[in-house]
Amino acid sequence: MITKQIAMLTRIILSSLLFALLIPPVSVIANEKAADDLFKMSFEQLLETEVITASKIAQQLTDAPSAVTIVTSQDIEDYGYRTFAEILESMRGLYVSDDRAYAFLGGRGYGKPGDFTGRILLVIDGTQVNDNIYDSVFIDNAGPIDVALIDRIEYVSGPGTSVNTNNAFYGIINVYTKSGADFDSLQLSGDISSYSTKSGRGTYGKQLDGGQELLVSVSGLNSDGQSHYFQEIDDTSYNLDGQSNERLFAKLNWDKGLAEAIYRSRNKDIPTAPYGGDFGAPSNYTDTSFNFSAQQHFDLNQNLKLSLNAYYGYYNYEGLETFSSIPWLESSTGQWFGLNTHFFDSSFKFHKLVYGFEYRNDFEQKLTTPASLSNNDEQSVSAYLQDEYQFSDRITLSGGLRWSYNSDVGHSETSPRLAVIYSPFDRTQFKLSYSKAYRNANPFEKYYTDNDVLLDNLNLGSEEIEAFELVAEHRLLNNAHILSSFYQYKTKDFISSVDVGGGITQFQNTSGSTTQGIELEYERQWDTGLRLRTSYAFQHAMDANDNRQTNAPRHIGKMNVTTPVLNGNWHLGYELQAYSDRLTEHRTTIGSYSTSNLTLRSNRLLPNFSITMGIRNLFDRDYAHVAPPVNTYQIVIPQNRRNYFLQLVYDLK
């Protein structure tokens, strides 16, 4: 049944692409205010939006050297997204795995459960927020900010370390937050949902008399969770899936700079008894982080701009497991600070130059278990240069190189990137790119040991990725866009957990993997307000022994539709996500499945008041995700059946 749904979705996608090629042009009703209001933009205006992630040069989306996916705040509202995971899973080719402890991002051959999404760079308003112990990107309810504060979120697939840092191995998530003027009041939000889940948010935003914009937001969540039956052991964990979180976000921006502080803490009960702990006994993880950054931009002359970004980060993890009725407490703490300097130079005709350096000091990287204690520190310095050369009216050449030295690694590495953008017609672009990147082992992979299950590896080296990609984009109409991407990734010395005998594992540099794939996407907006985005992705992900990689579905299909209903007083959002089968860590197969989500939203019932109602897993599919290697008792992790939420938002204007 599910396989038939995937086949049907594929036909829908291909039919949409063919339909787009044949249909005559349709005009778009222009809205001048929308041009300055990103979350109300038409698709045509969105294509003209400036992006920074791919090259750190402000440029139009259609001119970026990579295939960029953008989700706006309007999308977040229309589809009722409440976590980073829901936003990212709506994007082409991406998928999320949840092991009831954390959610992990996957796509293009990566996504091994348990890797904490550490090969993806997460940037919020220009500052990296990955921690310095596990390189984690938290995309579930442990995420750094409430999604209601997001103005837009970009995802760029592929290595990005030619101008970015160590974690931009497979891709970059770049988040732009709203400013005080976007709220211009006190906004209160309350949310109730299935599994006895309640959340609330208070946000104050204002443009001050001096022109500065202030934004302060506090939010929290509490959930009782569920009881879970695990068929592999024929047992149920009762009331061990609850969680709570607290977040604080503060931002002050002015004409040429901003200061920003992000605090969050989440406590999660773990129902799966990982690492062979006592099933049904107390188990929980607490993750806490704080990030502060201050940025200032200078116009040195007409053609030269300087941007300075000073930052500080703190991360703490505390975990409780129970083995033979004995509590096992472990913790980790990381602190770091740094300075990133960018020069934007347009002094040379037909050239856009970005160059600069970054200094970072990870002065605390502490791992504590009952069996061991390690506390390391490292310093790194990087220099980078990128040039975008307008070779002709139709051809742009882009080249970048980053040199990095890390005191813990003990040697330097260089990461290059080359791209050619060819525009044979005004509405058509081809982008061919090559990139190479490195990722250093993090402290958990290199230094953690419990002397029983996982051993440290002080000789663990860096891993390497080499990527080729060809992107073709065409604007069929003023309000329609089609994209195709062909890519190949090759990894070398990949850092992976290896069984060294007797049930003991160790992180080692393995031989690597190869992934080839194709992605297709079609998006269109009609005068009536109807919007459609549909995509198909195929990935052929194999390891060095030509075996299929775990947790890598070969086929991924998605469709997102939103439209005004009931005389325009409500917005209806529907999304369908379909995934083919995938392999578990035990080389067994999880069958294909599809899920549907439905969201109904209105902001016209009462002045300054909006209501959002949603159903997740609309057709109540019974499906599961791949369990990480640390899950001794489970091969798969059951996911949520049909569930509901209701959100109320009021602006005190």
Side-chain angles (χ1 to χ4, degrees):
M1 181 69 171
I2 296 175
T3 304
K4 290 182 179 179
Q5 291 174 335
I6 294 175
M8 182 178 294
L9 179 59
T10 302
R11 288 196 294 270
I12 291 172
I13 294 170
L14 296 177
S15 298
S16 299
L17 299 177
L18 179 61
F19 177 74
L21 291 170
L22 298 177
I23 197 167
V26 178
S27 61
V28 178
I29 299 175
N31 183 340
E32 292 183 2
K33 184 178 183 298
D36 298 320
D37 194 349
L38 183 62
F39 55 85
K40 296 180 181 178
M41 281 187 174
S42 69
F43 186 74
E44 174 75 7
Q45 292 163 337
L46 185 57
L47 287 174
E48 303 301 325
T49 299
E50 291 187 334
V51 296
I52 297 178
T53 304
S55 62
K56 289 189 186 265
I57 298 177
Q59 58 193 185
Q60 291 180 356
L61 174 59
T62 50
D63 293 331
S66 302
V68 183
T69 303
I70 290 182
V71 170
T72 67
S73 58
Q74 180 180 342
D75 296 318
I76 293 173
E77 292 179 359
D78 286 346
Y79 296 107
Y81 298 140
R82 292 171 295 162
T83 64
F84 279 45
E86 290 184 333
I87 296 172
L88 293 166
E89 194 162 32
S90 74
M91 298 179 176
R92 72 175 178 276
L94 299 181
Y95 56 96
V96 171
S97 300
D98 193 326
D99 69 350
R100 298 288 171 185
Y102 301 101
F104 311 99
L105 186 66
R108 295 196 172 188
Y110 69 88
K112 187 178 179 67
D115 71 353
F116 306 115
T117 316
R119 295 174 174 87
I120 303 293
L121 182 68
L122 176 59
V123 178
I124 298 180
D125 290 330
T127 301
Q128 177 189 355
V129 297
N130 300 61
D131 69 70
N132 70 343
I133 302 293
Y134 312 96
D135 294 334
S136 302
V137 170
F138 296 99
I139 60 175
D140 44 33
N141 285 313
I145 63 173
D146 194 296
V147 298
L149 305 177
I150 296 176
D151 185 50
R152 73 184 188 273
I153 181 170
E154 303 169 357
Y155 181 79
V156 181
S157 297
T161 54
S162 63
V163 290
N164 292 286
T165 57
N166 182 59
N167 300 99
F169 193 77
Y170 278 123
I172 305 169
I173 302 169
N174 199 67
V175 179
Y176 296 92
T177 63
K178 296 178 181 178
S179 298
D182 293 322
F183 290 91
D184 196 32
S185 68
L186 174 64
Q187 183 179 90
L188 301 177
S189 174
D191 187 306
I192 57 173
S193 54
S194 298
Y195 318 123
S196 300
T197 303
K198 302 168 286 294
S199 64
R201 175 179 55 85
T203 303
Y204 176 77
K206 192 72 175 178
Q207 183 167 5
L208 307 179
D209 293 339
Q212 305 91 342
E213 294 187 58
L214 174 66
L215 177 63
V216 179
S217 181
V218 294
S219 61
L221 174 144
N222 187 80
S223 176
D224 292 343
Q226 310 169 63
S227 296
H228 295 284
Y229 170 75
F230 297 102
Q231 61 180 4
E232 295 93 340
I233 56 175
D234 191 24
D235 204 350
T236 301
S237 65
Y238 295 97
N239 305 316
L240 288 175
D241 193 30
Q243 63 179 309
S244 62
N245 73 17
E246 302 85 33
R247 296 188 181 109
L248 170 65
F249 178 83
K251 177 181 178 181
L252 177 66
N253 56 298
W254 53 92
D255 182 34
K256 293 186 181 299
L258 67 85
E260 191 168 270
I262 304 171
Y263 168 84
R264 60 97 195 178
S265 181
R266 185 195 69 156
N267 178 270
K268 179 69 174 68
D269 294 329
I270 314 301
T272 57
Y275 303 100
D278 296 349
F279 190 80
S283 175
N284 58 74
Y285 300 159
T286 300
D287 296 274
T288 303
S289 67
F290 174 75
N291 297 88
F292 176 79
S293 63
Q295 303 177 32
Q296 184 65 46
H297 312 291
F298 306 89
D299 294 329
L300 301 181
N301 58 47
Q302 184 177 357
N303 298 313
L304 184 61
K305 303 179 186 301
L306 169 63
S307 176
L308 298 177
N309 182 5
Y311 55 86
Y312 165 81
Y314 167 85
Y315 170 75
N316 176 258
Y317 161 81
E318 295 181 353
L320 166 66
E321 302 284 356
T322 305
F323 299 93
S324 301
S325 301
I326 300 175
W328 174 280
L329 295 170
E330 63 179 38
S331 65
S332 57
T333 302
Q335 294 190 79
W336 63 94
F337 69 87
L339 175 66
N340 204 343
T341 303
H342 306 294
F343 290 91
F344 302 83
D345 194 342
S346 59
S347 302
F348 302 95
K349 190 175 182 180
F350 306 123
H351 291 266
K352 292 180 181 178
L353 292 171
V354 175
Y355 48 88
F357 66 88
E358 180 173 8
Y359 170 76
R360 174 165 168 151
N361 189 330
D362 293 274
F363 61 92
E364 184 176 23
Q365 295 174 321
K366 182 188 296 184
L367 293 159
T368 305
T369 76
S372 63
L373 169 65
S374 69
N375 192 3
N376 301 282
D377 63 87
E378 58 185 290
Q379 299 182 59
S380 60
V381 60
S382 304
Y384 55 88
L385 169 66
Q386 177 168 294
D387 182 20
E388 292 196 0
Y389 170 48
Q390 191 70 41
F391 182 78
S392 69
D393 292 339
R394 297 293 184 184
I395 300 176
T396 300
L397 305 178
S398 175
L401 183 69
R402 185 182 184 97
W403 172 89
S404 301
Y405 177 83
N406 181 281
S407 62
D408 188 57
V409 175
H411 60 82
S412 62
E413 294 169 328
T414 56
S415 300
R417 181 184 181 120
L418 299 172
V420 179
I421 302 174
Y422 174 52
S423 304
F425 312 106
D426 290 342
R427 294 179 178 271
T428 304
Q429 284 193 326
F430 295 94
K431 307 171 184 179
L432 178 63
S433 65
Y434 164 82
S435 53
K436 188 176 182 180
Y438 297 87
R439 187 184 76 89
N440 302 325
N442 60 48
F444 174 70
E445 295 166 331
K446 194 169 184 176
Y447 297 110
Y448 180 92
T449 181
D450 56 16
N451 296 325
D452 185 28
V453 177
L454 180 62
L455 300 180
D456 56 3
N457 185 356
L458 304 185
N459 297 317
L460 192 60
S462 303
E463 58 187 10
E464 177 185 323
I465 185 171
E466 190 174 40
F468 296 88
E469 184 170 9
L470 173 63
V471 178
E473 295 184 79
H474 180 63
R475 288 195 282 178
L476 299 158
L477 315 165
N478 287 335
N479 57 347
H481 178 241
I482 184 172
L483 177 145
S484 62
S485 174
F486 306 84
Y487 64 88
Q488 175 176 282
Y489 291 172
K490 287 187 176 183
T491 62
K492 179 181 177 183
D493 298 327
F494 195 76
I495 298 173
S496 184
S497 177
V498 175
D499 189 339
V500 295
I504 300 175
T505 60
Q506 183 184 53
F507 284 102
Q508 296 182 2
N509 293 107
T510 61
S511 50
S513 62
T514 301
T515 303
Q516 295 101 13
I518 179 174
E519 296 175 353
L520 301 172
E521 184 172 68
Y522 169 65
E523 186 167 356
R524 184 172 177 186
Q525 178 171 307
W526 283 264
D527 299 357
T528 60
L530 172 67
R531 290 188 293 137
L532 167 70
R533 185 174 74 248
T534 183
S535 66
Y536 167 76
F538 169 79
Q539 57 177 351
H540 181 68
M542 311 298 287
D543 64 20
N545 297 318
D546 205 31
N547 296 316
R548 184 179 171 189
Q549 289 190 50
T550 60
N551 198 38
R554 285 183 171 169
H555 305 277
I556 302 174
K558 300 183 181 181
M559 182 171 64
N560 287 61
V561 181
T562 180
T563 183
V565 294
L566 302 176
N567 298 320
N569 292 321
W570 293 81
H571 264 80
L572 180 69
Y574 172 77
E575 58 182 345
L576 171 65
Q577 299 171 354
Y579 306 92
S580 65
D581 64 274
R582 65 187 83 179
L583 291 182
T584 70
E585 294 292 330
H586 295 258
R587 309 304 293 178
T588 58
T589 301
I590 295 182
S592 57
Y593 68 89
S594 65
T595 60
S596 294
N597 302 319
L598 189 68
T599 305
L600 190 62
R601 178 182 65 86
S602 177
N603 56 5
R604 296 187 178 184
L605 297 181
L606 295 171
N608 305 323
F609 177 83
S610 69
I611 179 172
T612 303
M613 299 175 288
I615 306 175
R616 296 292 183 257
N617 195 358
L618 177 65
F619 299 111
D620 198 26
R621 301 298 188 199
D622 184 5
Y623 70 103
H625 289 164
V626 177
V630 300
N631 285 66
T632 306
Y633 302 117
Q634 300 89 13
I635 299 174
V636 300
I637 306 295
Q639 298 301 300
N640 293 343
R641 302 295 291 266
R642 183 189 294 125
N643 59 96
Y644 309 86
F645 75 90
L646 171 67
Q647 183 184 74
L648 304 177
V649 179
Y650 182 67
D651 292 285
L652 279 71
K653 292 187 177 180

